[in-house]
Amino acid sequence: MSLLREIEPFLAQRHPYDTLSPEDRRVIAGKMISMDIAAGGQIYEAGQPLDGLYLIERGQVEVTDANGVTVSLLGPGNSFGERGLIIDGIAVTSAKAAEGSHLFLLPREDFDTARKTHPSFNRFFDRRRQPDAEPQRNAVHSKKVADLMTANPISLPPKASIREAAELMRDRRISALPITDEGTLKGIVTVHDMTNRVLAEGFDTARPVSDVMTRQVRSLPPDALGLDALLMMAENRHAHVPIVQGESVVGIVSQTDLIQTQAVTANAMVGRIVRAPSSDAMIATVKEIPQLLATLVGSGTRHEIVTRMITDIGDAVTRRLLALGEEQLGAPPAPYVWLACGSQGRQEQTGVSDQDNCLILDDRVRAEDMPYFTKLAKFVSDGLDACGYFYCPGDMMATNPQWCQPKKVWREYFVKWITSPGPEAQMLASVMFDLRVISGKAELFETLRAETLAVAQSNSIFVSHMVANSLKHTPPLGLFRGFAMVKSGEHRNTVDLKHNGVVPIVDLGRVYALQSADTAVNTYTRVNNAVEGGLVSASGGRDLVDAYDLIADTRLRHQTKQIRRGEKPDNFMAPSTLSELERSHLRDAFVVVKTMQSALGQGRGHLS
């Protein structure tokens, strides 16, 4: 009883325990174990199973990554150990007492029970939670599912065979199939079921589909809102929701339907750009991008989908300007390919973008042909600037003669950067490894890319330099659970979510791609490919993807709030604008990035 009297008042003053009722808080307090740790005492080590969730009552705890690099100093009221619990109970950091400390330990089983029982407790520790989003007028949230669903979906009776279901889903190209008996919903079978139940467990495909369908399926009426569908999908971890009127299935709505609803606006914008008679005619359309971004983010669309849609518009503008340029200047005197680099090359543009581009020309180009490409580059870059894609401050544009050259010159560039990897070469190589074809003869670049990746991957010195270059942008971690913020200037007391948030992950993805000769340029794809290829451990890769999701989502939400206030979006966010819960999750995401950077640096790129 004396231990309860010690723990309860402490918990009552700490989030998220303060959200619980006194009775529920007493139950958790009764499960906690009191621990005294001497200075220097090891609490747990990386790679070892965790006993549970630790809460510091007094003292100080040092958390280090797998290579012994300090990532955090924690004080009274701070919790630690929860990330290891999420990844199969294995710690990805080590912890020891920096001074004599008194801790409370909530055993893992009791911690898991508390998360399942108390939603507020779970939200605090759930790294994968979706950010809060404000519904937008005309967004998915406010639409009725009757306007979002696929009406009159194909269905099968429970007695139909698994093979019949699989063939029907293949032939009709559908990902979910309602199972009905005289129109009444009995269950649903999805592509996921076919993979995880039928194939993985070796089911006889002659058996009835009812043997593998999900039986207890929650449904919605046609007049429910898109918000209801989103919440139901999130709560049940399903990608499809049947729409039922009375007892009959009248439709089905999927995550893809919800995303495509948002894509309609982006597609309409692209359609107007394709038909635009001049760059001036495109300006009004491109000005809609901030509102599109706000709508997409407000509807909970994942960041990699948002940035892809925004980039698609930039690609369309570029291609239309190239076509208009050729109409004005005449047919090109030699084949060429226009490429984007930077965020456009990676398909990761947001509401803040300059232009980064270049031209690779066919080796048959003559000196007298060059004025044509000079004029074409100026026409396109000027048009992009007029549309809001401002000139690159570093002059990384096709208007710079250095970046408008025949293929043989580009080959010389890459060979020089790889064999003599100085600071400037590292920077240029980083930019150029993110190249993506926008228009023109793609073969001019594709063969060069294959050659360059093969040479770069085999040069250990160059790889080592690229790894070192990738570690220059560090997460904004301060000690004592704080953030390292901008110290002066107009952005004082803010965190740069681009250069210290997203860019460190972009740099990691680029190195992973270089090491495995992966031709992908998108960061999300690069990281996932590194995990699938065994270059990065499964747990480390999952952590990094989760961290990327949270940091990128936070950045987009910050820009969305600025757009709604009528401000120009930027990447500088004051941590004080976040809740305690949000700050805690964001900082933990930065710790993951720091840990992965340290692992890459120690191994110079060989993660296992």
Side-chain angles (χ1 to χ4, degrees):
M1 186 60 67
S2 61
L3 183 58
L4 272 177
R5 284 199 296 267
E6 174 189 4
I7 297 177
E8 279 192 84
F10 183 73
L11 294 186
Q13 301 175 43
R14 297 290 180 270
H15 196 67
Y17 308 95
D18 60 352
T19 65
L20 306 178
S21 69
E23 293 75 19
D24 290 336
R25 193 159 52 240
R26 186 173 299 114
V27 170
I28 289 180
K31 302 291 185 181
M32 285 187 159
I33 301 169
S34 181
M35 303 174 63
D36 285 307
I37 309 293
Q42 195 76 38
I43 301 169
Y44 63 77
E45 294 185 0
Q48 299 299 315
L50 278 167
D51 295 322
L53 175 73
Y54 296 88
L55 177 63
I56 305 172
E57 193 268 334
R58 67 173 181 273
Q60 189 177 81
V61 172
E62 179 185 20
V63 179
T64 58
D65 64 19
N67 297 299
V69 177
T70 300
V71 295
S72 196
L73 282 175
L74 307 179
N78 291 146
S79 298
F80 61 102
E82 65 271 20
R83 173 156 289 278
L85 288 172
I86 291 174
I87 306 300
D88 303 324
I90 302 301
V92 298
T93 56
S94 298
K96 67 178 180 180
E99 60 185 45
S101 302
H102 185 220
L103 314 176
F104 297 129
L105 170 66
L106 182 61
R108 180 181 180 184
E109 182 177 350
D110 298 310
F111 174 64
D112 289 340
T113 299
R115 290 186 64 190
K116 293 175 183 176
T117 308
H118 307 296
S120 62
F121 195 89
N122 183 58
R123 283 195 298 271
F124 183 81
F125 293 107
D126 188 4
R127 297 301 189 282
R128 294 176 176 84
R129 66 183 183 85
Q130 289 297 315
D132 295 333
E134 301 174 23
Q136 293 294 300
R137 188 177 56 179
N138 299 323
V140 159
H141 285 72
S142 57
K143 289 181 178 292
K144 291 185 177 181
V145 292
D147 298 324
L148 302 169
M149 69 185 187
T150 299
N152 303 314
I154 300 167
S155 63
L156 280 179
K159 294 181 180 179
S161 70
I162 295 172
R163 178 180 293 278
E164 286 180 81
E167 290 175 345
L168 184 59
M169 294 170 74
R170 178 199 63 195
D171 295 342
R172 298 298 183 92
R173 297 183 180 180
I174 53 178
S175 57
L177 189 65
I179 306 302
T180 62
D181 186 3
E182 296 183 353
T184 300
L185 182 67
K186 296 298 181 181
I188 190 171
V189 64
T190 67
V191 170
H192 184 270
D193 295 327
M194 290 294 182
T195 302
N196 286 22
R197 295 180 184 176
V198 178
L199 291 179
E201 298 179 17
F203 265 67
D204 180 355
T205 57
R207 291 172 61 176
V209 70
S210 58
D211 288 355
V212 295
M213 72 182 183
T214 300
R215 293 178 177 274
Q216 296 181 346
V217 182
R218 295 182 63 186
S219 61
L220 288 172
D223 59 353
L225 297 178
L227 176 62
D228 299 321
L230 285 167
L231 291 175
M232 188 173 286
M233 289 176 183
E235 290 173 5
N236 297 282
R237 297 185 179 181
H238 291 163
H240 304 83
V241 176
I243 308 304
V244 175
Q245 189 164 36
E247 294 185 351
S248 300
V249 178
V250 296
I252 188 167
V253 64
S254 68
Q255 287 180 339
T256 302
D257 294 328
L258 302 181
I259 291 172
Q260 287 178 342
T261 298
Q262 299 303 324
V264 168
T265 302
N267 288 344
M269 292 171 67
V270 170
R272 293 201 299 273
I273 289 167
V274 169
R275 297 186 297 271
S278 66
S279 59
D280 289 342
M282 288 185 269
I283 293 174
T285 300
V286 175
K287 284 183 177 179
E288 296 176 17
I289 287 179
Q291 187 55 50
L292 173 65
L293 184 143
T295 299
L296 292 170
V297 174
S299 63
T301 307
R302 289 182 58 85
H303 69 91
E304 70 271 20
I305 303 298
V306 175
T307 54
R308 171 61 187 271
M309 290 184 182
I310 300 298
T311 304
D312 285 347
I313 295 170
D315 290 354
V317 172
T318 306
R319 281 192 286 268
R320 184 56 182 153
L321 287 169
L322 283 165
L324 291 171
E326 289 189 19
E327 287 179 14
Q328 185 178 107
L329 299 172
Y336 72 88
V337 60
W338 182 283
L339 303 110
C341 44
S343 60
Q344 185 183 4
R346 297 189 305 273
Q347 296 180 301
E348 294 166 4
Q349 286 187 308
T350 68
V352 184
S353 287
D354 60 353
Q355 54 176 293
D356 297 284
N357 47 60
C358 63
L359 271 169
I360 297 179
L361 311 177
D362 188 281
D363 284 339
R364 291 170 292 178
V365 68
R366 302 165 299 174
E368 55 266 35
D369 297 331
M370 294 307 294
Y372 175 95
F373 293 106
T374 299
K375 293 176 183 176
L376 179 65
K378 187 176 188 310
F379 180 89
V380 175
S381 290
D382 286 350
L384 287 170
D385 183 70
C387 289
Y389 301 95
F390 53 88
Y391 298 120
C392 175
D395 203 18
M396 188 69 65
M397 299 182 296
T399 50
N400 182 338
Q402 186 176 5
W403 311 129
C404 178
Q405 293 290 336
K407 178 179 175 179
K408 59 186 177 184
V409 176
W410 280 97
R411 183 180 288 108
E412 293 170 0
Y413 286 163
F414 279 112
V415 169
K416 181 180 178 181
W417 295 336
I418 293 169
T419 56
S420 304
E424 182 182 9
Q426 293 171 35
M427 184 274 292
L428 293 173
S430 294
V431 172
M432 295 306 170
F433 275 117
D434 292 349
L435 288 171
R436 181 173 60 88
V437 172
I438 301 299
S439 184
K441 188 178 180 181
E443 294 85 350
L444 287 171
F445 172 64
E446 290 171 352
T447 53
L448 180 62
R449 176 178 58 187
E451 295 170 11
T452 302
L453 277 175
V455 173
Q457 183 192 31
S458 64
N459 190 314
S460 59
I461 295 176
F462 175 73
V463 173
S464 181
H465 276 275
M466 288 295 289
V467 169
N469 188 59
S470 74
L471 304 179
K472 290 180 180 178
H473 293 101
T474 58
L477 289 169
L479 298 180
F480 304 106
R481 299 290 292 178
F483 294 95
M485 295 186 285
V486 178
K487 298 186 183 301
S488 60
E490 63 174 312
H491 301 301
R492 184 172 178 268
N493 293 330
T494 65
V495 170
D496 186 342
L497 290 173
K498 178 181 178 181
H499 291 100
N500 298 114
V502 172
V503 168
I505 304 171
V506 170
D507 290 342
L508 286 171
R510 187 183 298 113
V511 171
Y512 297 157
L514 172 61
Q515 291 172 323
S516 58
D518 184 3
T519 58
V521 293
N522 178 264
T523 300
Y524 203 83
T525 305
R526 282 171 163 174
V527 173
N528 282 319
N529 288 352
V531 175
E532 292 177 7
L535 185 66
V536 177
S537 68
S539 62
R542 284 196 301 267
D543 266 5
L544 186 58
V545 169
D546 284 348
Y548 185 34
D549 284 343
L550 196 146
I551 294 168
D553 282 335
T554 300
R555 180 191 184 198
L556 290 180
R557 283 191 294 143
H558 163 70
Q559 293 183 357
T560 296
K561 290 176 181 177
Q562 291 179 308
I563 290 167
R564 290 174 185 158
R565 293 195 299 262
E567 301 170 2
K568 184 177 180 180
D570 61 28
N571 296 296
F572 298 95
M573 184 197 71
S576 59
T577 62
L578 301 178
S579 68
E580 179 184 347
L581 179 151
E582 291 170 324
R583 288 196 298 272
S584 176
H585 291 337
L586 182 61
R587 193 180 189 285
D588 287 340
F590 288 144
V591 168
V592 169
V593 178
K594 176 69 174 177
T595 300
M596 296 301 286
Q597 283 186 324
S598 180
L600 183 66
Q602 292 291 327
R604 276 298 180 261
H606 299 283
L607 293 173
S608 60

